[in-house]
């Protein structure tokens, strides 16, 4: 076993022992997400895909723990902050990262990638933090404001952003209505996430579909109508960017043609130069095939990791 495998084994084993990982009941972080996954959780379905990718979640847990320790040192007697509060009301349990007693504010830390900051916070994240506010209020802890703080795993202090809004019980009640709707379903709802995503991140993924969930296939994806306005806006934005990239690439190529053979420095200090770049070396596949065939051997191929290709186009 390699050191990388040992590291993954140690991290995964340690993460399974955390309070959040051991939580059996559906929590606020799942409300507003995939109905199929939530329905399977509620109905005690068998875990069919135990080896999901967890590193991002593990890093998030580690950052949460470090933040908790940092505030513990800053406020050891909990005169200002309450940390990692476990609250429950009518069967719904949540773990609140921090409650600021002075400002009556719920704070939820989110570890993200910098590339996800453009659309932070999501509708589901806002619903989650409002549900934390609701749970605290139901436990007679007054909440005036809810705040989400995004901490990029691939950034630095300058990239941390936050979103604050007044506590709004109606948003929390929308979340509870969503959960009740799922609880009352007699049959599992249709898959909502693409199969490629599910196989890596959902414990209920089952390629055969006999026990768990197969995820959404290509045929279903092409016929399903997306109603989430934030997702629709993102798709429109993606198309606009693609068009701009195409136009800018054409413009860049035109400018490149104009600069052919030109070298020097402009009066305002822009350097223009050309240099020869060696062509990339590649294996002569025809020769290699001939060589192996001549010696009665087969070419051994190394399979790379699969990746997801996003396609966004006009209907």
């Amino acid at each position: 076993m390699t050191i990388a495998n040992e590291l993954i084994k140690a991290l995964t084993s340690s993460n399974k022992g955390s309070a959040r990982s051991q939580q059996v009941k559906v929590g606020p972080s799942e409300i507003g997400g995939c109905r199929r996954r939530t329905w399977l959780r509620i109905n005690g379905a068998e875990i069919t895909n135990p080896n999901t990718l967890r590193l991002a979640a593990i890093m998030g847990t580690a950052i949460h723990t470090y933040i908790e320790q940092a505030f513990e040192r800053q406020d050891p007697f909990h005169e200002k902050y309450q940390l990692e509060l476990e609250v429950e009301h009518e069967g719904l349990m949540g773990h609140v990262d921090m409650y600021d007693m002075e400002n009556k504010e719920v704070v939820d830390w989110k570890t993200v990638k910098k590339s996800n900051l453009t659309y932070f916070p999501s509708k589901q994240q806002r619903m989650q933090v409002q549900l934390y506010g609701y749970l605290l209020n139901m436990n007679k802890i007054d909440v005036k404001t809810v705040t989400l703080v995004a901490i990029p795993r691939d950034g630095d202090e300058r990239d941390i952003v936050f979103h604050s809004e007044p506590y709004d019980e109606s948003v929390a009640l929308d979340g509870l209505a969503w959960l009740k709707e799922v609880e009352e379903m007699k049959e599992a709802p249709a898959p909502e996430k693409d199969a490629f995503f599910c196989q890596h991140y959902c414990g209920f993924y089952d390629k055969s579909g006999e026990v768990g969930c197969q995820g959404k296939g290509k045929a279903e994806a092409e016929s399903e109508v997306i109603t989430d306005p934030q997702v629709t806006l993102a798709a429109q934005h993606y198309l606009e960017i693609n068009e701009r990239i195409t136009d800018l690439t054409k413009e860049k190529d035109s400018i490149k043609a104009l600069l052919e053979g030109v070298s020097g420095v402009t009066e305002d200090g822009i350097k223009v130069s050309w240099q020869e770049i060696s062509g990339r070396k590649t294996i002569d596949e025809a020769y290699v095939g001939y060589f192996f065939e001549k010696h009665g051997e087969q070419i051994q191929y190394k399979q790379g990791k699969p990746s997801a290709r996003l396609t966004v186009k006009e209907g």
Side-chain angles (χ1 to χ4, degrees):
M1 183 177 284
T2 67
I3 187 61
N5 294 133
E6 290 285 1
L7 172 64
I8 294 167
K9 181 181 177 181
L11 289 174
T12 303
S13 176
S14 177
N15 186 63
K16 285 180 180 177
S18 70
R20 292 171 189 257
S21 296
Q22 292 180 327
Q23 183 172 320
V24 176
K25 295 180 180 179
V26 172
S29 63
E30 296 167 90
I31 293 176
C34 177
R35 289 177 176 83
R36 176 69 166 250
R37 180 176 180 174
T38 304
W39 188 90
L40 290 169
R41 280 257 288 166
I42 291 169
N43 288 276
E46 175 188 345
I47 294 295
T48 51
N49 186 32
N51 298 318
T52 53
L53 301 180
R54 297 188 179 93
L55 185 58
I58 291 170
M59 291 173 68
T61 300
I63 292 172
H64 273 72
T65 301
Y66 190 85
I67 291 172
E68 181 185 0
Q69 292 171 350
F71 275 99
E72 280 280 2
R73 287 191 291 270
Q74 184 175 316
D75 181 29
F77 301 108
H78 300 167
E79 295 173 323
K80 180 172 173 56
Y81 305 114
Q82 293 185 48
L83 305 168
E84 281 298 315
L85 284 173
E86 185 176 280
V87 285
E88 185 174 3
H89 178 69
E90 295 184 349
L92 181 66
M93 178 185 289
H95 291 88
V96 180
D97 290 338
M98 188 169 82
Y99 174 68
D100 183 332
M101 293 181 282
E102 182 179 321
N103 296 310
K104 302 186 187 321
E105 178 182 19
V106 172
V107 181
D108 192 45
W109 316 114
K110 293 295 181 191
T111 52
V112 301
K113 292 190 293 186
K114 283 174 65 177
S115 58
N116 292 341
L117 289 175
T118 303
Y119 292 96
F120 174 83
S122 67
K123 179 181 177 181
Q124 185 182 0
Q125 289 169 334
R126 291 181 55 235
M127 183 178 287
Q128 178 188 354
V129 76
Q130 290 286 358
L131 280 163
Y132 288 145
Y134 173 82
L135 289 174
L136 287 173
N137 265 337
M138 292 299 104
N139 282 272
K140 303 189 183 308
I141 301 175
D142 191 21
V143 175
K144 299 296 184 186
T145 306
V146 296
T147 297
L148 289 152
V149 182
I151 306 165
R153 296 186 297 272
D154 54 347
D156 57 40
E157 295 90 334
R158 296 167 297 180
D159 300 308
I160 296 174
V161 298
F162 72 93
H163 168 86
S164 292
E165 59 185 62
Y167 168 64
D168 185 348
E169 186 179 270
S170 67
V171 177
L173 293 178
D174 286 344
L176 294 175
W178 182 95
L179 179 59
K180 185 178 180 182
E181 179 187 351
V182 176
E183 288 174 335
E184 293 177 348
M185 290 179 177
K186 302 301 181 185
E187 296 181 357
E192 297 183 10
K193 297 287 186 179
D194 188 89
F196 184 87
F197 173 87
C198 296
Q199 67 178 315
H200 294 302
Y201 298 104
C202 181
F204 297 111
Y205 175 74
D206 176 16
K207 188 175 182 179
S208 69
E210 295 176 3
V211 180
C213 175
Q214 289 178 295
K216 189 191 296 180
K218 186 175 181 181
E220 298 137 304
E222 290 180 347
S223 61
E224 184 171 334
V225 178
I226 296 172
T227 58
D228 188 325
Q230 191 173 33
V231 174
T232 299
L233 181 63
Q236 292 170 345
H237 194 196
Y238 189 93
L239 280 177
E240 291 168 4
I241 290 173
N242 258 354
E243 289 176 5
R244 282 159 53 194
I245 289 173
T246 300
D247 292 341
L248 288 170
T249 300
K250 290 178 181 177
E251 186 177 350
K252 183 181 177 182
D253 289 341
S254 297
I255 295 170
K256 187 176 179 180
L258 181 64
L259 295 173
E260 280 186 358
V262 176
S263 62
V265 183
T266 65
E267 293 180 351
D268 54 354
I270 300 174
K271 295 181 180 179
V272 181
S273 63
W274 291 80
Q275 59 183 6
E276 183 177 333
I277 305 296
S278 299
R280 188 177 62 149
K281 289 183 179 180
T282 58
I283 294 174
D284 187 334
E285 293 187 8
Y287 174 77
V288 171
Y290 165 76
F291 180 85
F292 273 77
E293 185 179 349
K294 182 179 178 181
H295 291 81
E297 297 183 21
Q298 289 186 333
I299 301 175
Q300 300 298 316
Y301 292 95
K302 184 178 180 181
Q303 181 67 51
K305 291 182 180 178
S307 60
R309 176 183 294 171
L310 173 64
T311 302
V312 180
K313 59 184 180 180
E314 296 282 3

